[in-house]
Amino acid sequence: MHQEQITQLIKEEYAFFLQQRSGWSLTAGPQDLELVAHALRVLLHARTTPDFLADYLALVDCQHADGGWSPFSADHESTVWVSAFCGLMLIRGNRLLGHERLARAVHRAIDYFLATQRPDGRWVDPRWADLDTTSHPVSFFNVVIALGESYRRSDVQRAWEQGVRFILDHQSPDGGWYDNDFHPSGVEITAHLIQDALIADLVMENRVRGVREACAKGAAKLYALQAADGSWDGENVDHTMDCTRSLMIVTRVLGDEHGREVITRGLQWLIDVKNPHGWGDFPGMETNLERTCDGLDTLLKYQAYCSADPLAVVRLWGYVP
């Protein structure tokens, strides 16, 4: 797979993404905040965040008094998963923007996650499995810690470790994580947990025993679940993107070269099934903006994965400055 092809695809898909701005930008009106967070991640990884301060400030305007966000910007009840994604985009974006309103919003988000963690270390969200829900505040706290944020530092570290241990304690012997209601195949949730919640500890403080082994077992499970055509979970575009991205950072940190072949097969399948612009949820389905953001993010991360800098792809998760 030639890097020139990847670069050209990124250029074309990013131009299409910008053409669809009215569908994802809060400056154009109320939006689905999960989609907004996906879009802000594209801006971050395309290195264009400084051109979109108004979008970040509009996200702050949607934050509730408790420090969280609702799945839709016009709603009023905070939920954990989307709040973690929004908080993560704010703290990472503010490294480039340096805006006091964004810094205060990050502090309020920290308060929200510290207040909503359950005694056993989990977070809950009616729209998501508990394990998947928990991985997102842990991911947010990973970046809070990695970027040296001092606000309530000891409380953050304690909550972060409890969340990591909750996830480790629920890994299955075969290396996967499962939820019968949300993730019966184990594909998406395993990909999420090893990249979002666990692998960061190995490049930060390396405090929690068992993380390396859990990530290696999780990656091996994803290897075993990949179909011969390179896809995962019955040609599920979203889950194939999740697995391909997850294996980029996990295998890079673990030093597992076997992952390269698996990642390349996954990426090639995604390129083969894309629409003239963007992606749908399955091959042949109509393009939607969330999958298009995921596809762009996957291409951008693959570009970093192929860089001579071994930490380039890790930086795209925010786990190293």
Side-chain angles (χ1 to χ4, degrees):
M1 191 177 303
H2 298 294
Q3 287 303 304
E4 294 82 2
Q5 179 189 13
I6 300 298
T7 299
Q8 184 61 30
L9 276 175
I10 290 171
K11 181 179 179 180
E12 292 170 2
E13 292 305 318
Y14 185 74
F16 173 71
F17 162 77
L18 289 182
Q19 290 169 8
Q20 306 301 310
R21 186 175 181 184
S22 63
W24 55 259
S25 175
L26 286 166
T27 64
Q31 304 284 2
D32 176 337
L33 288 191
E34 183 176 347
L35 173 57
V36 170
H38 275 80
L40 294 181
R41 184 171 64 184
V42 170
L43 300 177
L44 190 67
H45 296 164
R47 301 181 181 180
T48 54
T49 292
D51 298 331
F52 292 88
L53 174 60
D55 287 87
Y56 284 84
L57 293 176
L59 184 58
V60 173
D61 290 338
C62 296
Q63 189 177 27
H64 300 155
D66 65 2
W69 285 264
S70 303
F72 193 74
S73 58
D75 296 339
H76 302 289
E77 184 176 353
S78 299
T79 59
V80 169
W81 197 97
V82 74
S83 295
F85 207 163
C86 292
L88 184 58
M89 291 305 99
L90 288 184
I91 190 171
R92 295 191 62 197
N94 205 36
R95 286 193 69 234
L96 300 169
L97 297 168
H99 199 286
E100 182 59 31
R101 285 190 62 204
L102 272 62
R104 290 198 301 269
V106 168
H107 292 172
R108 290 198 300 272
I110 290 171
D111 290 336
Y112 172 76
F113 292 115
L114 292 175
T116 53
Q117 188 178 33
R118 299 295 176 89
D120 64 357
R122 81 179 76 194
W123 281 267
V124 300
D125 186 320
R127 293 162 55 109
W128 296 86
D130 288 357
L131 282 162
D132 212 356
T133 299
T134 299
S135 75
H136 284 78
V138 170
S139 181
F140 172 64
F141 282 156
N142 283 337
V143 176
V144 168
I145 294 168
L147 296 184
E149 170 59 60
S150 61
Y151 181 73
R152 301 188 68 180
R153 181 82 173 188
S154 61
D155 293 332
V156 167
Q157 288 181 320
R158 181 171 57 253
W160 164 80
E161 186 167 339
Q162 288 174 334
V164 169
R165 292 191 184 281
F166 175 79
I167 290 168
L168 289 174
D169 289 346
H170 288 81
Q171 187 175 28
S172 297
D174 68 359
W177 284 264
Y178 302 89
D179 183 280
N180 289 334
D181 294 327
F182 292 89
H183 305 285
S185 73
V187 170
E188 183 185 27
I189 193 169
T190 300
H192 281 171
L193 268 54
I194 56 177
Q195 67 175 314
D196 292 334
L198 299 182
I199 197 66
D201 187 40
L202 300 183
V203 294
M204 297 191 318
E205 300 185 356
N206 199 11
R207 290 177 49 176
V208 183
R209 185 174 182 179
V211 167
R212 178 174 291 275
E213 294 78 6
C215 288
K217 288 173 65 177
K221 184 63 178 177
L222 294 183
Y223 294 160
L225 291 171
Q226 188 182 39
D229 64 4
S231 69
W232 275 271
D233 227 4
E235 298 191 332
N236 187 308
V237 172
D238 182 19
H239 297 182
T240 299
M241 290 174 177
D242 280 328
C243 291
T244 302
R245 287 177 296 189
S246 179
L247 289 172
M248 288 181 205
I249 184 171
V250 171
T251 60
R252 176 54 50 83
V253 172
L254 294 178
D256 179 6
E257 283 301 314
H258 176 63
R260 185 175 294 274
E261 179 185 349
V262 178
I263 291 162
T264 301
R265 283 204 308 269
L267 190 73
Q268 187 62 61
W269 182 84
L270 290 167
I271 291 172
D272 290 344
V273 303
K274 75 179 293 295
N275 295 332
H277 286 296
W279 286 261
D281 290 332
F282 288 88
M285 290 184 67
E286 184 179 359
T287 290
N288 69 72
L289 280 175
E290 188 172 316
R291 286 296 75 69
T292 299
C293 289
D294 276 334
L296 254 174
D297 188 55
T298 304
L299 292 172
L300 287 160
K301 283 174 174 168
Y302 184 75
Q303 192 176 57
Y305 174 76
C306 294
S307 167
D309 178 359
L311 290 178
V313 74
V314 183
R315 291 192 183 95
L316 295 195
W317 269 264
Y319 299 155
V320 292

